[in-house]
Amino acid sequence: MDDNRIMNENVSRTLGKDAQRNNILAAKIIADIVKTTLGPKGMDKMLVDSFGNIIVTNDGVTILEEMEIDHPAAKMMVEIAKTQESEVGDGTTTAVLLAGKLLEGAEYLLDKKIHPTVVVKGYRIAAEKSLSLINELAMPLKDSNVLRQIAMTAMTGKGAEGNKEVLASLVVRAVEQITSMHENVGDINLDDIKTEKIKGEKTGDSELIEGIVLNKERVNQEMPIRVENAHILLVDFPIELKNPEAETRISISSPEQLESFIESEERHIREIADKIISSGANVVICQKGIDDVAQYYLAKAGIFALRRVERSNMEKISRAVNGKIVSNINDISIDQLGRAALVEESKQGNESLTFIKGCQNPRVVTIVIRGGTIHVLDETERAIRDGLGDVISAIKSGKVVPGGGAIEIELARRLRLFAKTVPGKEQLAIEEFASALESIPEALAENAGLDPIETLTELKRRHEQGLSNEGLNLLNDKIEDAFLAGIVEPLKVKTQAINSASEVSTMILRIDDVLVSRNKDTHMERSNYQGLD
Ligand code: ADP
Ligand code: MG
């Protein structure tokens, strides 16, 4: 039957081979974009948005998130990066590159007239086998020195490069601090480690603070600068005249009316202030604004107040001090207050910071990141986040693998041996899967300006001899035992990458029909496809 009779004219359709090739191409383009950033010698990308804002980064997920990608298959690739980021916090480039290479291998098999379902089946077998092999190959996490190596491996080549020793020990100390508070390592939460960026000083001066640090000063100089035995009220509504944001129109015809209007507004503020004061709070942290009148009352009562604190920080403070975030004036009461030994404002360089120390829940710590420019700060923060993710992940699973491509080479080798035992054309797909794994060390070498073929050949030769931890050390450009060189990664980075790369590549391979509804924005959908055809 003719499609057009049953389908709305606003739906465009790409079928069979065309759909497949188009999707594979899109996925390969995404993988190619991030490929050159892989590893310590990877290059950075400069991203410029339509407002001219600039981000300089080496971080796979950041690159893909900032690019406005429309193609449906390309979007699926971006999703892998996001999942990898949220599940492990590192390994985004690896996951995306792996998926791209899996699809490239699939394309090669399709050209040889192998049916997509065979490729899909082969890839599934290969993924499953890889996961069981990698679990056998992984080593138990020994001590916190290994954690430092993991943090360093995560941060090598990132913006933090020059100070990675200092930053790696901050990362490990931060994680150990929160780990010591948990009985079950499964409860360790990345959200309990806050980062705060401060411009103007050297990155090497970054430090770890127990408790919360906010890049904020108290709203009013009349307020106390230091509050001991703090009773902290958290609110997410404005402590301001009734409706300051909405444009209120009132018609006033006499001075008396004006006066009574102002009076009623002031009464409202007074009421909130009284409620706060009588709750026993001596610190108020507000997500919205606090106006002059409210500031006056709070300052007079000796209360320390911060305003316009971001939601994510409100939540961290709430957890740290065991206080509720109050959304309704009538709910303000002593039961909602959080506690901390000290809330203090302190000047550091040009900035005034607020420290919340001795929190009731000492699990929350802050890494104060210092750096010369906002670009350096942002990239250092991303590197630290990668390090934190990896260290936490290593503690949780208790298992590590050698980096520098060592684990990928060994997996590929064993996978090829296994392939020989699999009958049918699936065998070819398993071999392609092995090649995709080898593309990781290949890209590491290529990005460092080394000969990728030579490197790969030498790596394979050594692994054949049973040297299963040999990897490429890009600190000295030598092939050596990655564990001994201190290039260590958590197991989960690799299992997650293998999992999601194989999932998304098989999902894309199984698509043979792309239907795009043009109802909403015809122009946009058309232009997506033009770019890739
Ligand atoms: P991803 O987003 O996948 O984490 P990265 O750019 O962080 O990408 O690179 C990670 C890769 O770099 C891993 O394969 C890791 O083993 C490798 N790597 C890290 N440090 C070194 C090093 N000193 N020598 C060689 N490879 C390294
Ligand atoms: Mg990384």
Side-chain angles (χ1 to χ4, degrees):
M1 199 198 318
D2 184 357
D3 285 353
N4 296 331
R5 294 227 193 102
I6 57 163
M7 280 194 321
N8 186 305
E9 61 180 9
N10 284 326
V11 174
S12 87
R13 185 165 188 192
T14 321
L15 260 172
K17 264 207 179 132
D18 285 345
Q20 220 148 35
R21 296 303 158 119
N22 189 300
N23 285 337
I24 291 175
L25 180 58
K28 282 197 326 198
I29 289 173
I30 296 296
D32 269 345
I33 291 170
V34 295
K35 181 182 165 187
T36 56
T37 70
L38 183 79
K41 299 286 173 69
M43 302 295 279
D44 295 343
K45 301 275 173 195
M46 181 186 259
L47 307 162
V48 185
D49 71 12
S50 50
F51 301 104
N53 297 320
I54 297 171
I55 298 180
V56 177
T57 185
N58 182 295
D59 188 46
V61 73
T62 307
I63 297 166
L64 297 178
E65 265 178 356
E66 294 295 327
M67 290 170 48
E68 286 166 18
I69 292 166
D70 280 334
H71 190 286
K75 275 188 177 163
M76 289 166 75
M77 295 284 282
V78 178
E79 282 309 309
I80 321 180
K82 288 191 187 162
T83 314
Q84 181 82 22
E85 177 75 8
S86 65
E87 289 291 314
V88 198
D90 194 19
T92 53
T93 312
T94 303
V96 171
L97 187 55
L98 211 49
K101 288 290 168 185
L102 285 174
L103 285 163
E104 199 175 309
E107 195 175 33
Y108 167 76
L109 297 172
L110 298 181
D111 283 343
K112 288 173 115 187
K113 302 271 180 294
I114 294 175
H115 197 271
T117 53
V118 176
V119 181
V120 167
K121 188 165 170 224
Y123 277 5
R124 290 233 169 101
I125 298 171
E128 207 173 293
K129 185 70 186 174
S130 305
L131 293 176
S132 82
L133 285 172
I134 199 172
N135 271 296
E136 283 167 27
L137 290 166
M139 300 294 276
L141 170 69
K142 279 199 309 253
D143 50 35
S144 68
N145 188 37
V146 177
L147 291 179
R148 262 175 57 84
Q149 294 176 337
I150 291 171
M152 297 244 261
T153 304
M155 293 195 282
T156 310
K158 307 282 167 189
E161 174 74 32
N163 300 290
K164 66 176 181 188
E165 312 241 330
V166 181
L167 297 177
S169 49
L170 284 182
V171 163
V172 174
R173 270 172 49 213
V175 176
E176 284 184 336
Q177 169 88 21
I178 59 163
T179 305
S180 65
M181 299 295 158
H182 289 283
E183 274 176 26
N184 186 346
V185 288
D187 296 335
I188 303 172
N189 188 348
L190 185 55
D191 287 342
D192 287 339
I193 302 174
K194 181 179 172 329
T195 45
E196 187 66 50
K197 294 168 283 188
I198 297 172
K199 210 162 83 180
E201 283 168 85
K202 295 194 299 268
T203 311
D205 293 337
S206 300
E207 59 187 322
L208 178 71
I209 307 276
E210 280 176 35
I212 299 263
V213 182
L214 297 163
N215 202 346
K216 286 263 171 208
E217 56 187 335
R218 63 202 199 283
V219 284
N220 191 302
Q221 298 295 316
E222 301 295 316
M223 293 177 167
I225 198 161
R226 181 185 161 93
V227 176
E228 280 177 35
N229 190 12
H231 291 57
I232 303 165
L233 173 69
L234 296 155
V235 298
D236 64 3
F237 54 84
I239 310 177
E240 289 178 336
L241 294 184
K242 262 175 207 158
N243 222 338
E245 261 102 44
E247 211 181 305
T248 31
R249 254 170 224 253
I250 39 165
S251 55
I252 286 171
S253 47
S254 70
E256 291 77 32
Q257 251 178 341
L258 179 62
E259 213 161 87
S260 88
F261 170 73
I262 293 173
E263 235 170 58
S264 94
E265 292 289 282
E266 277 204 18
R267 221 180 304 124
H268 171 72
I269 291 291
R270 177 83 232 210
E271 221 176 279
I272 305 182
D274 281 345
K275 268 238 151 67
I276 293 173
I277 295 163
S278 61
S279 75
N282 51 15
V283 172
V284 174
I285 300 179
C286 180
Q287 193 180 324
K288 302 275 171 55
I290 302 178
D291 71 13
D292 294 350
V293 184
Q295 287 175 26
Y296 166 78
Y297 287 127
L298 296 177
K300 218 170 69 173
I303 291 175
F304 178 111
L306 297 175
R307 68 175 160 189
R308 304 205 189 287
V309 173
E310 275 173 52
R311 182 74 199 180
S312 63
N313 283 334
M314 293 294 289
E315 281 162 7
K316 286 199 170 78
I317 301 168
S318 158
R319 263 208 313 282
V321 302
N322 272 341
K324 301 242 168 58
I325 300 175
V326 179
S327 303
N328 189 316
I329 302 164
N330 298 320
D331 293 344
I332 297 176
S333 79
I334 189 160
D335 309 335
Q336 317 291 317
L337 305 185
R339 304 286 292 273
L342 178 68
V343 173
E344 180 181 36
E345 182 184 305
S346 141
K347 219 167 175 70
Q348 307 240 330
N350 294 329
E351 317 240 7
S352 291
L353 309 177
T354 295
F355 292 80
I356 306 174
K357 291 180 178 165
C359 296
Q360 208 166 51
N361 167 8
R363 273 201 288 262
V364 180
V365 297
T366 306
I367 296 178
V368 178
I369 306 169
R370 296 178 201 275
T373 69
I374 193 72
H375 301 298
V376 171
L377 282 171
D378 284 347
E379 187 65 350
T380 306
E381 186 178 39
R382 283 189 283 269
I384 286 181
R385 289 264 143 214
D386 285 353
L388 288 170
D390 280 350
V391 169
I392 291 178
S393 163
I395 292 180
K396 280 189 175 174
S397 79
K399 281 187 168 179
V400 296
V401 295
I407 190 70
E408 285 88 353
I409 291 286
E410 187 59 22
L411 272 182
R413 190 180 76 84
R414 297 189 182 209
L415 210 49
R416 283 186 201 281
L417 289 176
F418 164 74
K420 295 205 173 70
T421 68
V422 178
K425 289 186 182 149
E426 282 81 2
Q427 185 182 105
L428 302 175
I430 298 171
E431 276 165 2
E432 285 305 323
F433 201 103
S435 300
L437 288 167
E438 286 163 356
S439 72
I440 301 296
E442 196 180 347
L444 287 173
E446 196 176 330
N447 291 345
L450 302 172
D451 185 330
I453 313 264
E454 233 169 63
T455 311
L456 210 54
T457 316
E458 180 58 17
L459 277 169
K460 284 180 174 178
R461 193 181 67 80
R462 299 210 189 178
H463 281 248
E464 281 306 330
Q465 293 173 345
L467 301 168
S468 56
N469 294 330
E470 296 277 297
L472 178 57
N473 180 359
L474 289 174
L475 299 176
N476 58 13
D477 288 353
K478 288 205 175 96
I479 292 178
E480 55 190 19
D481 186 308
F483 276 138
L484 294 181
I487 308 168
V488 188
E489 293 182 90
L491 172 64
K492 181 90 191 284
V493 180
K494 302 297 180 187
T495 53
Q496 180 69 40
I498 292 172
N499 247 329
S500 43
S502 64
E503 249 168 44
V504 81
S505 58
T506 51
M507 198 183 275
I508 289 176
L509 282 174
R510 286 175 51 229
I511 298 169
D512 77 339
D513 201 352
V514 177
L515 303 150
V516 179
S517 162
R518 291 177 169 169
N519 276 343
K520 280 200 191 118
D521 189 346
T522 312
H523 173 73
M524 187 189 82
E525 298 299 348
R526 254 196 214 124
S527 61
N528 291 341
Y529 283 93
Q530 272 169 3
L532 291 165
D533 280 345

